[in-house]
């Protein structure tokens, strides 16, 4: 029998939740009836409507044989956080203390500690904490694209910011940070009538070759490989269609203005972007999360800022000072 899978799960204040509307549908009762019957289990999460904790849902279906048979499994979602990593390390220490007493005694003498416990707390635990932090920072959310984009902007052979500013233009940023630490960075070249997205790629706009021609127009070379040919052309950034000076406003204000004043098109085969616009001087794609944030701010917890984030300094880490290793 095929198990039923919930498509939506919400991680809130250290717990996993399911939407009451999904659970009620599974149980084949109305949402109103479910809320009345299980009012003590309902939790209101901002932007997510009514929810029920995954653990409470498991208790419900474990008491209902028919529902459990229909569900096919319990809902147990593993959430990897630095806090859970550290809790796991601490819970393992007493076992290690029993199983490796001779080794710990040797290390106690070698390091001049008064006891095996002092050695573990002074040397073993900090080392394992550091390793856990590094594993977490180097996990699937290593934000390599974010770092790569910053390196691209610093490389004058690819993107010469000084040359761009000499032409009376500037750049703007839009960083996004999701609740799980995943980050993206969007960059725009801005000026009078110019709001142009910068992509890090061997193909596309050649920002290091931007120049002014004999007519005073700002020209941007473009080239791209296709399966059977090479496309080369010159983009005229001075061929503007609006008189707005985008450099006078921040990135989100500029995106909002584009939504309200330009004929934005839906992107058919999108993964992260839902709307886009392309012309000689204006080129942008609007991130789905950003669009939702503009419409219903509480519906999504992604943070947007018009700054570059220092990944080496901006690190959140669980406070472990009060955690005890031995009872």
């Amino acid at each position: 029998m095929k198990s039923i899978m919930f498509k939506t799960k919400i991680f809130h204040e250290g717990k996993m939740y399911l939407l009451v509307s999904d659970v009620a549908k599974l149980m084949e009762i109305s949402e109103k009836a479910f809320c009345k019957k299980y009012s003590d289990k309902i939790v209101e999460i901002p932007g997510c409507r009514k929810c029920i904790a995954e653990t409470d849902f498991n208790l419900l279906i474990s008491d209902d044989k028919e529902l459990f048979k229909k569900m096919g499994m319990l809902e147990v979602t593993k959430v990897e956080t630095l806090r859970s990593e550290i809790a796991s390390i601490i819970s393992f220490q007493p076992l290690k203390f029993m199983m490796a007493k001779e080794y710990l005694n040797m290390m106690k003498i070698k390091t001049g500690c008064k006891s095996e416990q002092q050695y573990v707390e002074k040397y073993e635990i900090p080392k394992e904490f550091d390793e856990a932090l590094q594993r977490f920072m180097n996990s699937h959310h290593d934000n390599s694209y974010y770092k790569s984009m910053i390196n691209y902007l610093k490389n004058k052979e690819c993107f010469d910011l000084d040359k761009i500013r000499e032409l009376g233009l500037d750049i703007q940023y839009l960083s996004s940070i999701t609740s799980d630490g995943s980050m993206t960075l969007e960059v725009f070249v801005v000026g009078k009538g110019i709001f142009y997205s910068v992509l890090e790629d061997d193909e596309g706009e050649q920002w290091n070759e931007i120049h002014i021609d004999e007519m005073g127009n700002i020209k941007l070379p473009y080239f791209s490989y296709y399966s059977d040919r090479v496309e080369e052309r010159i983009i005229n950034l001075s061929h503007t269609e609006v008189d707005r000076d985008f450099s006078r406003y921040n990135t989100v204000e500029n995106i909002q203005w584009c939504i309200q004043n330009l004929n934005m098109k839906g992107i058919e085969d999108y993964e992260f972007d839902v709307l886009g616009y392309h012309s000689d001087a204006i080129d942008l794609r609007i991130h789905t999360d950003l669009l939702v944030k503009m419409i219903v701010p509480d519906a999504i917890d992604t943070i947007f800022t018009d700054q570059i984030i220092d990944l080496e300094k901006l690190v959140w880490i669980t406070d472990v000072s009060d955690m005890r290793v031995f009872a």
Side-chain angles (χ1 to χ4, degrees):
M1 181 179 176
K2 186 177 179 181
S3 298
I4 295 173
M5 308 289 284
F6 286 101
K7 292 183 178 180
T8 303
K9 294 190 175 187
I10 300 100
F11 187 64
H12 178 67
E13 294 184 350
K15 288 186 178 181
M16 192 63 65
Y17 291 86
L18 305 170
L19 291 175
V20 166
S21 56
D22 291 344
V23 174
K25 185 177 181 180
L26 172 68
M27 297 178 68
E28 298 181 343
I29 62 174
S30 69
E31 185 175 342
K32 185 177 180 180
F34 181 91
C35 292
K36 183 177 181 181
K37 187 174 182 179
Y38 303 107
S39 59
D40 59 323
K41 302 184 185 303
I42 305 300
V43 176
E44 291 273 4
I45 298 177
C48 297
R49 306 190 302 277
K50 292 180 173 63
C51 297
I52 179 173
E54 190 179 71
T55 50
D56 287 337
F57 171 74
N58 286 337
L59 290 174
L60 291 182
I61 65 173
S62 63
D63 290 337
D64 190 325
K65 293 182 179 179
E66 289 300 317
L67 184 58
F68 184 79
K69 184 178 179 181
K70 181 179 179 181
M71 187 67 195
M73 64 176 182
L74 293 175
E75 284 291 315
V76 180
T77 306
K78 180 183 178 183
V79 179
E80 294 183 354
T81 64
L82 186 58
R83 183 186 296 275
S84 64
E85 281 276 312
I86 289 174
S88 176
I89 290 169
I90 289 177
S91 66
F92 180 70
Q93 297 311 311
L95 179 61
K96 185 166 70 175
F97 191 77
M98 289 188 296
M99 301 296 290
K101 192 168 181 65
E102 288 186 10
Y103 166 77
L104 294 177
N105 183 57
M106 179 186 70
M107 295 306 296
K108 174 198 75 173
I109 297 171
K110 186 176 180 179
T111 57
C113 292
K114 296 180 180 179
S115 65
E116 290 90 345
Q117 177 174 331
Q118 185 185 53
Y119 163 73
V120 169
E121 293 182 337
K122 187 175 181 180
Y123 292 98
E124 293 271 318
I125 296 298
K127 179 184 175 184
E128 293 194 45
F129 282 2
D130 287 341
E131 289 175 353
L133 176 59
Q134 289 305 314
R135 282 198 304 274
F136 205 71
M137 290 179 67
N138 296 325
S139 65
H140 55 289
H141 290 310
D142 63 356
N143 294 313
S144 56
Y145 170 76
Y146 197 95
K147 299 171 187 175
S148 178
M149 189 65 186
I150 292 174
N151 290 333
Y152 171 81
L153 297 176
K154 292 179 179 179
N155 186 351
K156 284 197 171 187
E157 292 184 3
C158 300
F159 188 87
D160 193 336
L161 180 55
D162 291 335
K163 183 187 291 187
I164 287 171
R165 284 176 171 162
E166 286 172 3
L167 300 177
L169 306 175
D170 209 339
I171 59 172
Q172 292 180 347
Y173 313 104
L174 182 64
S175 294
S176 66
I177 314 169
T178 64
S179 58
D180 63 1
S182 178
M183 298 170 63
T184 60
L185 175 63
E186 294 181 73
V187 181
F188 297 89
V189 170
V190 294
K192 187 68 177 294
I194 301 171
F195 188 57
Y196 208 100
S197 177
V198 175
L199 299 177
E200 179 204 0
D201 203 334
D202 292 334
E203 303 182 43
E205 294 80 7
Q206 307 298 294
W207 291 101
N208 59 322
E209 296 184 19
I210 191 170
H211 62 276
I212 293 181
D213 67 7
E214 63 278 3
M215 301 296 293
N217 293 312
I218 301 174
K219 295 297 185 70
L220 176 64
Y222 174 98
F223 109 129
S224 181
Y225 288 108
Y226 284 87
S227 58
D228 57 348
R229 63 187 177 87
V230 176
E231 179 191 1
E232 293 184 78
R233 55 191 171 89
I234 300 293
I235 299 170
N236 186 357
L237 291 180
S238 296
H239 186 200
T240 60
E241 56 192 292
V242 300
D243 61 0
R244 176 185 176 86
D245 187 348
F246 289 92
S247 65
R248 296 177 59 188
Y249 307 89
N250 67 39
T251 315
V252 173
E253 288 173 332
N254 285 330
I255 291 173
Q256 288 176 327
W257 185 91
C258 290
I259 293 173
Q260 295 169 349
N261 295 276
L262 301 178
N263 185 21
M264 304 288 292
K265 301 291 186 183
I267 298 175
E268 185 175 347
D269 297 320
Y270 67 86
E271 183 177 358
F272 299 108
D273 305 316
V274 66
L275 286 176
Y277 187 86
H278 178 73
S279 68
D280 280 359
I282 299 177
D283 181 79
L284 73 153
R285 286 155 298 282
I286 298 177
H287 197 288
T288 308
D289 285 1
L290 178 59
L291 189 61
V292 174
K293 191 85 170 180
M294 289 177 175
I295 300 171
V296 188
D298 292 337
I300 194 163
D301 56 7
T302 301
I303 297 170
F304 291 92
T305 176
D306 57 356
Q307 304 174 42
I308 287 183
I309 305 300
D310 189 334
L311 292 171
E312 300 303 320
K313 296 180 180 178
L314 196 62
V315 176
W316 289 273
I317 162 172
T318 302
D319 181 5
V320 297
S321 58
D322 294 330
M323 290 186 175
R324 300 212 23 109
V325 179
F326 299 95

